[in-house]
Amino acid sequence: FGLDGYGPAPIATVDFGTGDAADPLALALTTSTWTPLTGRVTHAGEPVGGATVTVRDRASGATVGAVSDPDGNYAFAGISPGTHDLAAAADGALTSAPVEIAIAADDPAATRDLALEPAATVTGTVTDPDGGPVAGAEVIVTSPAGEHRTTATAAGAFSVPGVAPGSIGLTATASGWAGRRATATATAGEPVDVGAIVLQPAGTVTGTVRDADGAPLEGATVVAGGDVATSAVTGIDGGYTLAGVAAGVPVELHASKPGYSDAVDVITVA
């Protein structure tokens, strides 16, 4: 579980087992190895109150947040050891480039100030190979400060505000279509039109993973390559189903499970 001001890792994990419930008064929390983090959020040299400050652990993706006070100051009571990205945003119009912070156990208190700049707005369309719109496609924009999600309109259009400047990645997916990726560069305060992200038709692949003796293998991971890979885990009968596999082109299937040699095959979905 977590406590306000502590993270990104959980402050403690409690396993009550299957016996009697643990006495909560007997729990002892130790955070002596966690580092307090403070700083100030500004824009054009002026303090920014109400900004959301986020620390994201690079290894796990876990996050913890705080809000700056009217003087722009923010504080975390304890940041867990690890390498993290620190970023801030305000009102959807201002954002900061992420700052790397490396925290070791028992590090002294750390201070990092963050300067906000105008965010970018990313626009584009999601289409089929004939240029028709793919309504309802999910679009994920990944910026240096994190992810933004939206859904394409009936015309296939999307618009994502509040994107941090820098290199960005886009992923578009939709039922019945193979996902596609795109890249672009966002400039502070400027619109970024990535144009059309063209999706290709997709099909569904089913099969069975077996061991060397021909017995079904439960718990194997099967991955279908492509611009956006899809994966599934086999059931007790060794069976798997992969949706969204690109049709009409060779696709590599990769099956793996600890303790077994990997298997690779190349297929083409009609």
Side-chain angles (χ1 to χ4, degrees):
F1 57 88
L3 291 176
D4 287 346
Y6 290 89
I11 197 169
T13 300
V14 180
D15 183 4
F16 291 104
T18 57
D20 294 336
D23 180 359
L25 297 179
L27 298 179
L29 302 180
T30 301
T31 60
S32 60
T33 60
W34 289 20
T35 300
L37 173 64
T38 59
R40 193 165 184 252
V41 182
T42 61
H43 171 58
E46 297 297 321
V48 178
T52 299
V53 182
T54 304
V55 178
R56 179 182 181 275
D57 182 77
R58 288 188 176 179
S60 68
T63 63
V64 62
V67 177
S68 62
D69 66 18
D71 295 321
N73 299 310
Y74 72 88
F76 293 93
I79 298 298
S80 53
T83 301
H84 313 300
D85 287 320
L86 172 69
D91 299 328
L94 297 173
T95 187
S96 74
V99 175
E100 178 184 310
I101 54 171
I103 301 294
D106 294 319
D107 270 356
T111 300
R112 298 288 191 279
D113 293 335
L114 297 168
L116 302 184
E117 53 187 342
T121 297
V122 178
T123 61
T125 57
V126 183
T127 71
D128 62 25
D130 297 324
V134 180
E138 181 183 40
V139 179
I140 302 174
V141 177
T142 304
S143 77
E147 284 187 354
H148 306 260
R149 295 173 180 263
T150 191
T151 301
T153 66
F158 64 87
S159 178
V160 181
V163 177
S167 298
I168 61 173
L170 299 94
T171 303
T173 57
S175 178
W177 300 91
R180 290 295 301 273
R181 296 187 188 276
T183 59
T185 300
T187 302
E190 296 186 7
V192 181
D193 185 359
V194 300
I197 300 177
V198 182
L199 302 187
Q200 300 296 323
T204 298
V205 176
T206 61
T208 303
V209 178
R210 301 180 183 276
D211 63 19
D213 296 323
L217 194 60
E218 181 183 7
T221 299
V222 183
V223 179
D227 210 25
V228 177
T230 59
S231 64
V233 177
T234 57
I236 192 171
D237 61 350
Y240 66 87
T241 299
L242 294 167
V245 180
V249 296
V251 174
E252 183 177 276
L253 290 183
H254 182 200
S256 62
K257 182 177 180 178
Y260 293 84
S261 298
D262 291 2
V264 178
D265 194 7
V266 177
I267 64 169
T268 300
V269 178

